[in-house]
Amino acid sequence: MASHGYFSVLVHAFVFASLATSAFSQLSPNYYDYACPNALSTIKSVVEAAVQKEYRMGASLLRLHFHDCFVNGCDGSILLDPSPTIDSEKNAFANFQSVRGFEVVDDIKQAVDEACGTPVVSCADILAVAARDSVVALGGPTWEVQLGRRDSTTASKEAADANIPAPFFSLSQLITNFKNHGLDEKDLVVLSGGHTIGYARCVTFKDHIYNDSNIDPNFAQYLKYICPRNGGDLNLAPLDSTAANFDLNYYSNLVQKNGLLHSDQELFNGGSTDELVKQYSYDTEAFYVEFANSMVKMGNIQPLTGDQGEIRVSCRKVNNY
């Protein structure tokens, strides 16, 4: 990562150019400059401390933002606890006993509200910034986060189950899923690169290692010690061979048929995304620039702005509940 500063400059330039031609007028990177100038630095300090304490937390915060945006837009709905009026997305298949980091979000919210003097920063924006800062803390690129989202007052487990990409999806299902959210094949491949950090549960890759043929036999055998055919569903395996570093190994692993999830290996399985996977397996500059661009694009999926939604006092429950 000796040339990380160079990549960061490229990322900022590319994202700035992209924003000039895209519909990001509702959001702004300067949204909190006057209302709370210390907001972003406060989020960064809490995220860095959390990742330093446990590097897996970086992947957890990135996944939280991703799963939030893919339900009803980037509105913080994934953070809501179950209640008589909330069908919590935390209980969806992709999230239950898998997605973590809620306590860190609570810590960020408390620190930011103290820094601001009042709740002016939405939980949805906290997730977007924390995802960026987590990637940077693990050696990845940076980008300007567009801000001004407001928080949802509802959640939907049903929508989460229907919209979050499943680990057993085929390439065509993945492409359709991303297209439904306004994202293209390049976004699919590059955002999947977020799997360069973090872990997955045995239940999400068991079928892949026992029943799929597009997996290296030695890799499958190694995983069978972690994930037995019967039981062990909550056992964890790294999503790539350097799960603490934001690097290119996720793509290198796919080229070697060492993808942990069925949906991962589908990106390099004789289909239309093979060439992009090959490129990202050796081209750090391209991956960093495109990842940053796609994160900004994903972060603009149906945000609540203006007088929509609310700014939650607690990220876990709607106001006045």
Side-chain angles (χ1 to χ4, degrees):
M1 295 296 177
S3 56
H4 178 263
Y6 171 68
F7 291 139
S8 295
V9 171
L10 285 173
V11 166
H12 277 105
F14 188 90
V15 171
F16 182 83
S18 298
L19 295 180
T21 57
S22 302
F24 289 95
S25 58
Q26 296 182 81
L27 304 178
S28 165
N30 306 314
Y31 189 82
Y32 296 109
D33 281 4
Y34 296 103
C36 187
N38 295 324
L40 299 190
S41 60
T42 302
I43 296 172
K44 180 180 179 181
S45 64
V46 178
V47 170
E48 287 180 341
V51 174
Q52 184 174 14
K53 183 178 180 181
E54 182 191 351
Y55 74 84
R56 284 171 51 197
M57 192 54 64
S60 298
L61 293 170
L62 178 60
R63 185 181 298 184
L64 269 179
H65 179 47
F66 186 97
H67 286 198
D68 181 47
C69 291
F70 264 63
V71 181
N72 289 311
C74 308
D75 60 3
S77 59
I78 194 173
L79 301 173
L80 290 170
D81 284 340
S83 78
T85 59
I86 298 295
D87 185 17
S88 179
E89 294 163 22
K90 295 179 180 181
N91 293 325
F93 172 77
N95 298 329
F96 184 67
Q97 295 184 320
S98 175
V99 172
R100 305 163 59 242
F102 299 106
E103 293 80 9
V104 175
V105 174
D106 293 338
D107 292 342
I108 296 172
K109 176 65 171 171
Q110 180 178 353
V112 169
D113 285 355
E114 289 176 357
C116 299
T118 186
V120 296
V121 180
S122 68
C123 300
D125 275 349
I126 284 174
L127 277 185
V129 176
R132 187 271 310 275
D133 292 345
S134 296
V135 169
V136 173
L138 293 172
T142 189
W143 59 91
E144 268 193 342
V145 178
Q146 300 292 301
L147 301 167
R149 301 167 190 80
R150 289 169 63 84
D151 296 321
S152 171
T153 58
T154 62
S156 174
K157 174 182 175 293
E158 181 180 2
D161 283 328
N163 287 285
I164 297 174
F168 51 80
F169 271 10
S170 66
L171 179 59
S172 63
Q173 288 175 308
L174 290 168
I175 291 171
T176 298
N177 180 279
F178 272 64
K179 183 178 179 180
N180 289 341
H181 293 92
L183 302 170
D184 58 27
E185 286 191 31
K186 180 178 284 188
D187 297 316
L188 163 62
V189 176
V190 77
L191 289 174
S192 296
H195 284 178
T196 186
I197 53 177
Y199 286 70
R201 296 171 295 160
C202 161
V203 68
T204 64
F205 60 85
K206 182 175 292 188
D207 190 64
H208 180 49
I209 65 175
Y210 285 100
N211 298 320
D212 285 349
S213 59
N214 62 338
I215 183 171
D216 177 78
N218 293 326
F219 181 59
Q221 186 58 43
Y222 159 73
L223 290 172
K224 289 174 183 176
Y225 291 109
I226 299 172
C227 185
R229 189 181 292 273
N230 298 308
D233 285 356
L234 299 183
N235 295 348
L236 298 175
L239 282 158
D240 89 353
S241 54
T242 54
N245 299 308
F246 198 93
D247 55 27
L248 303 181
N249 278 356
Y250 168 77
Y251 299 106
S252 301
N253 292 345
L254 296 186
V255 172
Q256 298 164 9
K257 295 189 176 181
N258 287 345
L260 181 64
L261 305 179
H262 174 88
S263 56
D264 286 334
Q265 195 59 58
E266 280 288 287
L267 300 180
F268 190 80
N269 193 34
S272 58
T273 54
D274 280 14
E275 291 305 313
L276 278 174
V277 171
K278 285 182 182 178
Q279 180 186 6
Y280 297 146
S281 71
Y282 63 81
D283 192 340
T284 304
E285 177 184 329
F287 174 45
Y288 277 18
V289 168
E290 297 294 355
F291 185 83
N293 190 47
S294 290
M295 285 297 295
V296 175
K297 187 175 178 181
M298 184 188 76
N300 199 50
I301 297 176
Q302 296 179 315
L304 300 176
T305 58
D307 59 0
Q308 298 174 309
E310 64 184 16
I311 305 298
R312 288 191 216 129
V313 175
S314 167
C315 290
R316 293 178 177 266
K317 59 185 179 180
V318 299
N319 296 344
N320 301 319
Y321 173 74

